[in-house]
Amino acid sequence: MRLFTTAPTLHSIREWPVNSCVGDVYTLTVLTDAVGRAMVHQHFRGLVPIYDSFPTNVSRSDVARLVALYVHGGVYLDRDYVCFRNFERHRWNMSAFSIAAQFPARCRQSMCSVSQRVANAFMASAPRHPFIKYVLGQMRSYRGGDAAHVTGPGLLTRSVDRWSGSPVVELGFCTVYGVAWFERHPCTRRMDRDLCARFFSAAALGTHLWDGSWLPSKRRVKRPRAHHCKKSP
């Protein structure tokens, strides 16, 4: 399997073996800014001015991860994603483009924006999936605004809602994330993989630590305890 990730954050994927995600046979590509730009230049040269217009690494990373999946196929994971189970054993449709909801279905928090329903911390795709090309075609040079809206979850949510072509699979919140970015849970705070695996539902592939530098408001809000995906007694 081909696995893509971004440059390390405080909570690196190296904290837990990457083969817990994809098994012993895999190719790992770290999408640094230089690697991402080279990939965009080689395969989507018309996107280079748009790529260069983005002032933040996170926006350029949003573009690079889509280009990487379009060219090679495989799985993209943020560096702070913790796997409980081997992705290769999960029988999703690898001929489709797969993404996941980043909020629980009945979330009443004001932060649960319907305009950013899906996130791009996890994505899986077959090579050359037309949905990715469609998303890249929606990108415009940076003229201000929040990265999440311009290149990240906002752009992906709008694209999913408008898309009517080849299959796009939207996996459930509890399958992929289990904790929203504004929530807290002891297993993610302690980076305790075994505690997380015991807490979340048996169907959970993993969870996201939400260690993104693009979340400046994370430290300013009172974070409720996550409880949506707890295992039944």
Side-chain angles (χ1 to χ4, degrees):
M1 178 178 284
R2 189 129 192 179
L3 178 67
F4 298 93
T5 189
T6 47
T9 59
L10 175 63
H11 300 145
S12 166
I13 202 169
R14 290 173 299 190
E15 297 288 345
W16 294 285
V18 70
N19 61 7
S20 66
C21 299
V22 292
D24 295 327
V25 181
Y26 63 90
T27 301
L28 175 64
T29 301
V30 179
L31 297 171
T32 63
D33 200 28
V35 169
R37 191 183 189 281
M39 198 173 290
V40 172
H41 184 269
Q42 180 178 355
H43 299 285
F44 286 88
R45 190 164 297 186
L47 272 178
V48 171
I50 296 174
Y51 184 92
D52 290 341
S53 76
F54 295 128
T56 61
N57 287 338
V58 67
S59 290
R60 295 190 291 272
S61 169
D62 288 342
V63 181
R65 65 188 72 174
L66 286 167
V67 171
L69 287 179
Y70 181 80
V71 174
H72 300 288
V75 175
Y76 170 84
L77 294 173
D78 270 6
R79 194 82 174 203
D80 55 342
Y81 190 89
V82 184
C83 298
F84 304 152
R85 291 166 186 83
N86 190 315
F87 278 29
E88 292 179 321
R89 297 175 185 170
H90 185 80
R91 296 180 180 178
W92 63 58
N93 182 0
M94 279 304 290
S95 65
F97 177 87
S98 296
I99 199 165
Q102 66 168 330
F103 304 123
R106 297 183 179 180
C107 181
R108 297 178 180 177
Q109 294 285 337
S110 60
M111 283 80 82
C112 293
S113 170
V114 294
S115 67
Q116 296 185 18
R117 182 183 72 255
V118 297
N120 59 349
F122 155 86
M123 296 182 289
S125 182
R128 308 282 171 178
H129 195 284
F131 174 74
I132 301 178
K133 193 170 185 179
Y134 172 76
V135 177
L136 292 170
Q138 307 305 303
M139 290 190 175
R140 301 290 182 268
S141 294
Y142 183 76
R143 296 185 178 89
D146 176 45
H149 178 75
V150 175
T151 59
L155 174 65
L156 279 168
T157 300
R158 294 192 301 275
S159 299
V160 168
D161 290 344
R162 295 169 183 169
W163 178 250
S164 59
S166 301
V168 171
V169 176
E170 189 173 323
L171 299 173
F173 169 76
C174 289
T175 300
V176 176
Y177 292 112
V179 176
W181 68 264
F182 54 81
E183 295 177 322
R184 60 185 173 85
H185 186 268
C187 79
T188 56
R189 185 173 67 247
R190 300 172 194 165
M191 296 188 292
D192 187 329
R193 179 174 176 265
D194 292 334
L195 177 60
C196 284
R198 290 196 302 271
F199 175 81
F200 291 114
S201 70
L205 295 172
T207 190
H208 194 197
L209 298 178
W210 300 110
D211 187 43
S213 59
W214 53 274
L215 291 171
S217 61
K218 180 178 175 181
R219 300 179 183 87
R220 297 199 298 266
V221 299
K222 184 176 180 180
R223 301 171 69 197
R225 185 183 175 103
H227 63 276
H228 320 279
C229 304
K230 190 172 182 178
K231 284 183 179 177
S232 300

